[in-house]
Amino acid sequence: MSKRLLVIDDELDIREVVCLSLEEFGGWQTEGAGSGQEGLKQAKSAPWDAILLDISMPDMDGFAVLNQLQANPETRSMPVILLTAKTLPSDLGHFTQMGVAGVIPKPFDPLKVWQQVAVLLGWPH
Amino acid sequence: MKFSLRTLLVLPFLLQVVGLTSLVGYLSYRSGQRAVDTLANRLMVENSSRIDQSLERYFQTPITITEAHQTAIRLGILDWQNQALFNTYFVEQLAANPDISGLMIATEDRDFLAVGRDQPNQLVIRSRNPQTGAQESYIADLKGNPLSQQEVRTNFDPHFTPPADPWYQAVKANQSGFWQPTVSWVRGSNQPLLMMAYFLPIVDGQGQFRGVLSSSLFLDQTGEFLRQLQADDVGQSFIIDGQGHLIATSTREQPFRPSLSPSSLKSLNPQDWRFLAQESQDPITRIAAPLALEQLQKLTEPGGKIFQFQALGQRYFAQVMPFSAESQLNWVTVVVMPASDFMVDIYANILRTVLLCALALGGSIGLGIWTAEYITKPIFSLNRATQALTDGRAVVPPTQPSHIVEVEALRLGFDQMVAQLVTSFRALGEREKTLRTFLNGVPVAISVHNRAGQILFLNQKGKDLLDLTQTDGKDPTAKLSTTSDQIAETFQLYVAGTDQLYPTDQLPVVRGLRGETISLDNLEVKTETGRVPLEVHTIPVLDGNGQVMYAINTFQDISERRQAERLQNNYELELVQRVAEQTASLTQSEATKQALINAMPDLLMRVGREGVPLEIYNLDTVAGSGSLTQSVDRYYRLTHLPGPIARERRRCVQLALATRTLQRQEYEFTHNGQFYCEEARIIPVTQDEALVVVRDISERRQINRLKDEFIAIVSHELRTPLTAIRGSLGILESGVLQDRPYKAKHMLQMALSNTERLIRLVNDILDLERLESGQVVLTKESCHVEDLLRLALNSVDAIALAAQVTLHIQPLEALVWATPDSIVQVLTNLLGNAIKFSLPGGQVWLRAKLWEGQTSWPQARYPEAGRPSVQGARPLVPCVVFSVKDQGRGIPEDRLEAIFDRFQQVDVSDSRQKGGTGLGLAICKSIVTEHSGEIWVESQVGEGSVFYFTLPVKKL
């Protein structure tokens, strides 16, 4: 059965590119959410195999979304991969302590982003 | 009191040895004596006990045998009337019981048979012939066979023998057994024997008295028995009865008198034969017997008593024990042993101890003398060497080596000291010689005087000054022995400027010898060439007790000085003037230094090795200083750093002092709720002091943090469009959208729009960077305000039209001093923002207003927003106030100032949704600031905003 992934990013262009890459090259099903609130709502609505989460978002940033995902028993077990343009060493050190499955820095290679996700989650690739 | 080392070494040693050996000898003797007493007591007890038990058995045998005969007769086993049977029976009984001396039977019919053993190998059998009434005796062998007839005793009546105390009648009267001493004729009538016989009545089966039976013991044989009981041939033992009569003794003395008067022989009364033990021929028995009876009376417990007594010059141990066989005898056994038998070993031991002590004493004395000699010999050699050294002899005799480590170390140390002393003496001699040469060479006269004032030493200069150089054949040095009272006259010393000889008691030498330190220059010496003024300094030289030993006098000719003084007076005025100038210069230098310190933006401290401030500079002048309270607080903060920082400060100070290098320390802490970030540079000054320069680097830290944040934001802002571009182009390049042209076109548009966004961003960043770094040279010129407004309006017409927003303009006839392109850029940015955030149908106003101080300052349109009034920002010079007003969504109060910073849009999504970069207002602010203007905004959320900026007016 095909994997289902939720992509939460306020940048529509990036959301489109990520979803298209994962669908076309990974063969997975994707859905996008344009804000943190929308992402949380969608995350609770159905079981997801993984969530790709942007950090810099208006209203509710990626950290707040991650906290709420981890606080909710329904979504706690869903692996979260951070998709972020914050790539300073201090940022990366901070991310690894947050209990996420991994971090994919922007910009990424659209042909390989699915493989990066698969490697981080231990899926066949 | 003084002792020689030899005495000190030997005497205590000797006393110690004598004391110890005496103590050991005495204790040994005492211990031996106690051991002897214990041993003697134990031996006496054992011996007496053995004798008591043996006597018990010895005296029990006759009783047992007699009772057996009585029983056998009563039962009819033995026929008491058959004399022949008894004869054989008695012989066998004696053979079977060697301790028994004799057996006897006498009947009511006066039949009598007695078998006795007076010799070990023969028997004496006596019987009464019933026909003759005589007692017949014959000697028989041990089996009873007659060997020879002995004697016949006529008229023998056993019922009345002995006549004085007939035992037969006593037995018949008592009808019971008892012991009784009896005289026996077993060895013949001329050789009576005393024996103890146990008598029992013969009673037949019907209880009828039929005669008497007895068993007897010869007392001389009892003595033999006692002798055999003696464990060894030491001492003696004897038995006495309650009255002190001797019963038996181991001394071979007969316990009865061997011969008596004929009347006694006739009566045969045993008591006539007996004698008291104190009458014994044996002296020990004679002394011991009454003592034994005396001790017996004191005896309160069963068993014996041990006592000691002196006899014949030596000590004896004795034990007295009561003895009663079958409670029928009231006898006493006495065992006596000489103490010498036990003391032999003790005496030998004492002798050995004394000999050994004497030997040890002699050896110790010899050893002590030898040791003392061994120790003192090298020391005496040291003494001889010391004496030689003291006497100043050229050759110091060698010291004697010693095998004693400490003495050898002393000797080596002494030798070393002597070598050093010799060297020192030589060096001293050399130095003295050098000193003399030196003193003779110095240009000052020096004289050394003894207590009498006589000169001990006078250098060449002194001789010259006092005119003592030998010139005319006389020995001028004779003057040197002049005493104090003649010095002034002999050496022609005068009070300066007078013809008065210098008073003796005021002479420097005399005063110096009184202990004073003198300096004076009022003395003159008269020489052949005239009067010479002298300056004299005198100091006393004291000995260890503070007594003056010498006075050292230095004096010099001060003729030239006197001349110079006169000249000097003329220069004094000039000198004072110069000093004043120098002082002023120094004061100025100090002031300059202080000004330099004050000009420094840092706090300066002198600190000690522990990092504690000794002095603090700029406490009141450093940036941020103000009130006295702040200075006090700053002082407290500097002197009470938090523990870890203070420790690090101490470490840095000590490192700086040790390595003589500058050290740096950066630290942060909070004091009184305020955060401090400081840098301390520690510079070593002296061995124990460093200079610490403390600088507040909070601002520097803040700048670095802002820079980091800016880099992070820029990185993010650049990466976002790049991600979209890279993603869309990558997908297109992969060919997956080959069959989906619309999707592919969308991807291309995405790449294009993000590329434009990226270009805008890069341009804005570069613009801002150039502006802020001063790379852009703003060429200012007089500009018409209206022209600027028009140009800006024209540049946004198109987008206003597209956004369906109406633009209004309120021109102004005025000139400003500005760079027109930059101001147009500012206005365009503000207008662009106003259009972007206006809804279709909205309106935007562009205005310019002149402010010259007299007209009212633009009032806040939205005072209810609570924004601080801008009145305080009013410029001091006339200016033009530009404003751009919109009807957009408005700006929250907390963002009114922040939006002029980089990437501080009201909403982070604005850059994406409105096409902004987040840098437009920052660029505007930078340009306006470069024009010495102000920029600000007033806004009400939901109603709109007004952006203002000012430019100085160019006066015509």
Side-chain angles (χ1 to χ4, degrees):
Chain A
M1 189 173 173
S2 175
K3 304 281 185 188
R4 297 184 70 248
L5 290 88
L6 176 62
V7 179
I8 306 173
D9 196 318
D10 66 320
E11 291 278 351
L12 175 63
D13 294 350
I14 293 176
R15 201 161 65 235
E16 276 187 37
V17 168
V18 173
C19 289
L20 195 58
S21 297
L22 298 177
E23 287 169 3
E24 292 296 329
F25 304 113
W28 301 326
Q29 297 176 39
T30 64
E31 279 191 29
S35 70
Q37 292 289 1
E38 192 185 337
L40 279 175
K41 191 175 173 184
Q42 283 185 246
K44 293 173 191 169
S45 67
W48 299 95
D49 293 309
I51 296 174
L52 271 64
L53 177 63
D54 184 25
I55 293 294
S56 297
M57 293 188 291
D59 300 331
M60 178 185 275
D61 65 10
F63 299 130
V65 174
L66 182 63
N67 283 337
Q68 293 205 20
L69 286 173
Q70 289 176 339
N72 190 335
E74 292 178 33
T75 55
R76 185 180 299 158
S77 59
M78 294 178 188
V80 175
I81 294 173
L82 296 179
L83 197 62
T84 177
K86 285 178 176 291
T87 55
L88 293 177
S90 57
D91 294 328
L92 294 175
H94 181 51
F95 297 153
T96 54
Q97 296 172 356
M98 295 172 58
V100 296
V103 179
I104 296 175
K106 294 176 183 176
F108 49 81
D109 185 341
L111 306 186
K112 293 180 181 174
V113 69
W114 72 277
Q115 289 176 325
Q116 288 175 275
V117 171
V119 168
L120 289 171
L121 298 177
W123 294 348
H125 56 279
Chain B
M1 188 177 289
K2 291 182 179 178
F3 303 98
S4 70
L5 183 59
R6 191 176 297 162
T7 308
L8 203 62
L9 286 173
V10 173
L11 196 61
F13 189 55
L14 204 60
L15 290 174
Q16 199 177 347
V17 170
V18 169
L20 276 177
T21 48
S22 303
L23 188 64
V24 168
Y26 173 72
L27 291 177
S28 171
Y29 175 76
R30 281 284 305 274
S31 171
Q33 203 163 36
R34 270 202 294 276
V36 164
D37 287 351
T38 307
L39 177 66
N41 284 344
R42 197 168 64 240
L43 201 60
M44 294 293 297
V45 170
E46 286 176 3
N47 212 5
S48 299
S49 174
R50 189 159 46 82
I51 289 171
D52 187 55
Q53 288 174 10
S54 300
L55 283 174
E56 189 78 33
R57 273 197 317 275
Y58 184 73
F59 282 95
Q60 183 61 39
T61 305
I63 296 171
T64 306
I65 289 173
T66 312
E67 286 176 350
H69 292 169
Q70 184 194 43
T71 304
I73 290 169
R74 190 179 71 243
L75 296 175
I77 298 170
L78 279 175
D79 183 4
W80 55 277
Q81 293 174 311
N82 188 345
Q83 194 167 6
L85 174 64
F86 266 93
N87 192 354
T88 307
Y89 182 66
F90 279 176
V91 168
E92 289 179 359
Q93 284 289 304
L94 285 176
N97 295 283
D99 289 341
I100 300 296
S101 302
L103 296 168
M104 180 279 293
I105 184 169
T107 66
E108 280 287 283
D109 298 333
R110 288 184 170 74
D111 289 335
F112 173 83
L113 174 65
V115 179
R117 179 168 43 200
D118 71 327
Q119 300 292 331
N121 56 354
Q122 69 178 27
L123 300 173
V124 176
I125 300 172
R126 290 173 292 146
S127 60
R128 180 175 177 274
N129 190 332
Q131 283 78 33
T132 61
Q135 185 196 64
E136 297 172 352
S137 299
Y138 62 89
I139 295 172
D141 62 14
L142 293 177
K143 291 183 179 178
N145 301 317
L147 296 175
S148 62
Q149 187 76 26
Q150 201 176 25
E151 67 177 2
V152 177
R153 187 181 171 196
T154 57
N155 296 325
F156 175 69
D157 185 354
H159 287 188
F160 294 97
T161 300
D165 186 16
W167 41 264
Y168 190 89
Q169 297 305 323
V171 175
K172 191 174 179 179
N174 288 338
Q175 291 291 307
S176 62
F178 61 87
W179 284 97
Q180 182 171 318
T182 311
V183 177
S184 170
W185 297 100
V186 70
R187 290 181 187 164
S189 57
N190 61 344
Q191 199 175 351
L193 281 175
L194 196 64
M195 66 179 186
M196 290 301 294
Y198 184 72
F199 294 95
L200 264 180
I202 300 172
V203 180
D204 63 10
Q206 288 75 39
Q208 194 71 34
F209 178 79
R210 294 299 183 184
V212 173
L213 286 166
S214 85
S215 295
S216 57
L217 299 168
F218 295 144
L219 288 185
D220 59 344
Q221 290 182 2
T222 303
E224 186 64 26
F225 175 75
L226 281 177
R227 198 160 47 252
Q228 290 170 3
L229 286 180
Q230 291 285 122
D232 45 31
D233 198 17
V234 173
Q236 59 173 272
S237 54
F238 58 88
I239 303 171
I240 54 177
D241 62 13
Q243 288 75 41
H245 292 103
L246 190 64
I247 302 292
T249 176
S250 65
T251 60
R252 297 180 190 276
E253 180 183 8
Q254 287 288 4
F256 51 88
R257 295 188 180 90
S259 59
L260 286 174
S261 61
S263 60
S264 293
L265 283 172
K266 191 174 180 182
S267 72
L268 292 180
N269 185 358
Q271 291 302 332
D272 293 341
W273 268 269
R274 303 187 67 186
F275 59 87
L276 292 171
Q278 61 194 40
E279 297 168 354
S280 168
Q281 294 177 346
D282 185 87
I284 305 302
T285 306
R286 203 162 54 232
I287 295 169
L291 291 173
L293 288 173
E294 189 182 332
Q295 292 294 328
L296 192 66
Q297 286 172 0
K298 296 177 186 173
L299 193 63
T300 54
E301 294 178 1
K305 184 172 174 68
I306 295 171
F307 62 97
Q308 298 181 33
F309 64 93
Q310 288 283 343
L312 305 178
Q314 66 169 315
R315 201 155 58 95
Y316 287 86
F317 291 95
Q319 185 175 26
V320 56
M321 286 182 65
F323 174 75
S324 59
E326 291 290 313
S327 303
Q328 294 184 10
L329 296 174
N330 185 21
W331 290 354
V332 176
T333 60
V334 180
V335 180
V336 179
M337 298 184 84
S340 60
D341 288 348
F342 304 100
M343 295 299 286
V344 170
D345 287 343
I346 298 299
Y347 291 143
N349 195 27
I350 289 170
L351 189 63
R352 273 198 301 276
T353 304
V354 168
L355 280 173
L356 284 174
C357 287
L359 213 63
L361 191 61
S364 301
I365 292 168
L367 188 64
I369 292 170
W370 179 82
T371 306
E373 193 68 21
Y374 194 71
I375 292 171
T376 54
K377 210 167 176 180
I379 293 174
F380 285 143
S381 75
L382 297 184
N383 187 34
R384 285 194 295 276
T386 307
Q387 195 60 48
L389 198 65
T390 310
D391 296 344
R393 274 181 257 162
V395 179
V396 177
T399 54
Q400 184 171 344
S402 172
H403 295 292
I404 302 168
V405 176
E406 291 80 0
V407 177
E408 182 62 9
L410 175 68
R411 186 189 72 83
L412 291 174
F414 178 83
D415 283 351
Q416 200 173 355
M417 183 190 75
V418 166
Q420 285 176 353
L421 278 175
V422 169
T423 308
S424 298
F425 289 161
R426 283 181 189 143
L428 197 62
E430 289 295 323
R431 275 203 298 274
E432 192 176 343
K433 192 174 168 186
T434 307
L435 184 63
R436 274 181 185 279
T437 308
F438 168 76
L439 290 176
N440 283 326
V442 295
V444 179
I446 300 170
S447 62
V448 180
H449 300 255
N450 64 14
R451 287 175 184 166
Q454 294 168 318
I455 295 175
L456 300 175
F457 171 79
L458 181 67
N459 70 349
Q460 188 56 45
K461 185 67 180 176
K463 290 174 182 170
D464 294 343
L465 270 179
L466 297 177
D467 213 7
L468 295 183
T469 309
Q470 187 173 6
T471 53
D472 53 358
K474 295 180 182 175
D475 181 12
T477 56
K479 292 181 178 178
L480 297 181
S481 57
T482 306
T483 54
S484 299
D485 53 345
Q486 297 296 321
I487 283 179
E489 189 178 348
T490 304
F491 293 103
Q492 288 294 292
L493 302 177
Y494 291 88
V495 177
T498 69
D499 292 328
Q500 180 192 345
L501 278 174
Y502 211 93
T504 299
D505 61 338
Q506 292 300 313
L507 277 170
V509 172
V510 176
R511 291 173 67 182
L513 289 171
R514 288 206 297 261
E516 296 179 48
T517 300
I518 309 299
S519 293
L520 51 84
D521 56 0
N522 63 344
L523 190 148
E524 289 178 354
V525 60
K526 186 179 179 183
T527 64
E528 290 180 353
T529 55
R531 300 272 282 266
V532 178
L534 295 178
E535 182 186 36
V536 186
H537 300 276
T538 307
I539 56 169
V541 178
L542 307 179
D543 63 9
N545 299 321
Q547 298 296 317
V548 178
M549 294 170 65
Y550 309 104
I552 297 178
N553 216 20
T554 58
F555 50 99
Q556 61 180 339
D557 178 358
I558 56 172
S559 305
E560 290 179 4
R561 190 201 297 175
R562 289 272 185 253
Q563 178 67 21
E565 278 172 2
R566 282 190 288 279
L567 291 173
Q568 189 179 1
N569 289 334
N570 297 331
Y571 290 112
E572 271 184 3
L573 190 62
E574 188 181 352
L575 185 63
V576 168
Q577 194 175 349
R578 285 191 181 182
V579 167
E581 287 173 4
Q582 284 294 323
T583 305
S585 174
L586 278 173
T587 306
Q588 188 179 0
S589 173
E590 182 62 28
T592 306
K593 190 176 78 178
Q594 189 61 45
L596 278 172
I597 290 173
N598 291 343
M600 288 178 72
D602 307 315
L603 277 161
L604 279 82
M605 294 187 291
R606 280 174 48 234
V607 298
R609 183 168 282 279
E610 295 301 313
V612 178
L614 306 172
E615 190 176 3
I616 302 175
Y617 306 97
N618 282 1
L619 197 61
D620 304 321
T621 58
V622 74
S625 63
S627 65
L628 176 64
T629 309
Q630 285 175 318
S631 295
V632 170
D633 181 66
R634 185 175 294 111
Y635 177 82
Y636 185 84
R637 176 162 59 79
L638 288 168
T639 53
H640 293 79
L641 286 170
I645 298 173
R647 284 194 287 279
E648 177 63 11
R649 169 70 53 82
R650 184 171 62 229
R651 191 190 70 77
C652 288
V653 168
Q654 290 174 357
L655 187 62
L657 292 175
T659 60
R660 311 305 297 172
T661 57
L662 183 143
Q663 301 296 319
R664 285 178 193 277
Q665 180 192 10
E666 282 192 15
Y667 50 90
E668 298 174 351
F669 64 98
T670 303
H671 174 71
N672 282 350
Q674 190 172 348
F675 177 76
Y676 291 93
C677 182
E678 292 178 341
E679 178 201 58
R681 280 169 292 159
I682 297 132
I683 304 115
V685 179
T686 65
Q687 289 296 322
D688 296 309
E689 197 175 302
L691 184 69
V692 179
V693 182
V694 180
R695 176 170 290 183
D696 184 355
I697 57 169
S698 306
E699 195 175 335
R700 193 167 81 196
R701 284 277 176 97
Q702 178 69 9
I703 290 168
N704 285 339
R705 194 170 67 247
L706 288 174
K707 190 176 74 181
D708 291 344
E709 285 176 7
F710 177 70
I711 290 170
I713 291 170
V714 168
S715 167
H716 179 264
E717 293 301 317
L718 289 174
R719 281 170 186 271
T720 301
L722 270 175
T723 303
I725 295 166
R726 174 77 176 88
S728 56
L729 291 179
I731 289 169
L732 278 174
E733 197 270 340
S734 71
V736 293
L737 300 179
Q738 208 167 10
D739 300 332
R740 287 175 276 179
Y742 291 108
K743 190 76 175 174
K745 187 180 179 186
H746 177 66
M747 287 292 119
L748 271 176
Q749 285 173 340
M750 183 190 293
L752 195 59
S753 66
N754 277 284
T755 304
E756 286 169 356
R757 178 179 166 186
L758 192 60
I759 290 168
R760 282 198 306 274
L761 183 64
V762 170
N763 283 339
D764 281 357
I765 290 171
L766 292 175
D767 280 353
L768 190 62
E769 184 58 27
R770 277 201 297 268
L771 277 168
E772 294 195 346
S773 65
Q775 292 180 10
V776 176
V777 180
L778 295 174
T779 308
K780 295 172 188 169
E781 59 189 64
S782 292
C783 305
H784 288 281
V785 171
E786 188 174 352
D787 291 347
L788 297 172
L789 297 180
R790 296 282 175 201
L791 283 170
L793 204 64
N794 290 338
S795 65
V796 297
D797 260 352
I799 59 169
L801 189 64
Q804 300 175 30
V805 173
T806 306
L807 300 174
H808 301 278
I809 184 169
Q810 185 180 329
L812 174 69
E813 277 294 326
L815 288 174
V816 290
W817 186 250
T819 307
D821 291 345
S822 299
I823 299 303
V824 170
Q825 186 181 354
V826 173
L827 289 169
T828 305
N829 266 342
L830 296 177
L831 285 169
N833 284 345
I835 293 165
K836 277 192 286 187
F837 292 100
S838 294
L839 296 172
Q843 299 184 69
V844 172
W845 289 267
L846 174 62
R847 296 186 179 102
K849 218 175 164 184
L850 183 63
W851 185 81
E852 294 181 305
Q854 296 83 7
T855 56
S856 61
W857 182 253
Q859 294 298 311
R861 189 180 169 198
Y862 309 106
E864 64 276 17
R867 178 179 179 270
S869 170
V870 296
Q871 295 293 330
R874 284 180 186 183
L876 298 174
V877 294
C879 62
V880 173
V881 181
F882 294 84
S883 66
V884 176
K885 175 174 173 259
D886 65 53
Q887 296 173 314
R889 64 187 185 190
I891 303 165
E893 185 191 346
D894 62 343
R895 305 289 298 166
L896 288 175
E897 291 188 16
I899 56 172
F900 291 102
D901 294 335
R902 302 166 181 184
F903 300 111
Q904 295 292 331
Q905 297 99 324
V906 174
D907 187 326
V908 292
S909 61
D910 288 350
S911 63
R912 180 178 62 256
Q913 292 169 357
K914 308 296 182 184
T917 61
L919 294 171
L921 288 176
I923 291 171
C924 291
K925 185 180 179 183
S926 184
I927 291 171
V928 171
T929 305
E930 281 294 315
H931 284 81
S932 306
E934 296 280 340
I935 186 167
W936 71 96
V937 63
E938 294 174 4
S939 183
Q940 180 74 26
V941 174
E943 291 189 14
S945 309
V946 185
F947 281 83
Y948 297 95
F949 72 90
T950 63
L951 288 177
V953 171
K954 170 65 178 175
K955 290 187 177 176
L956 294 174

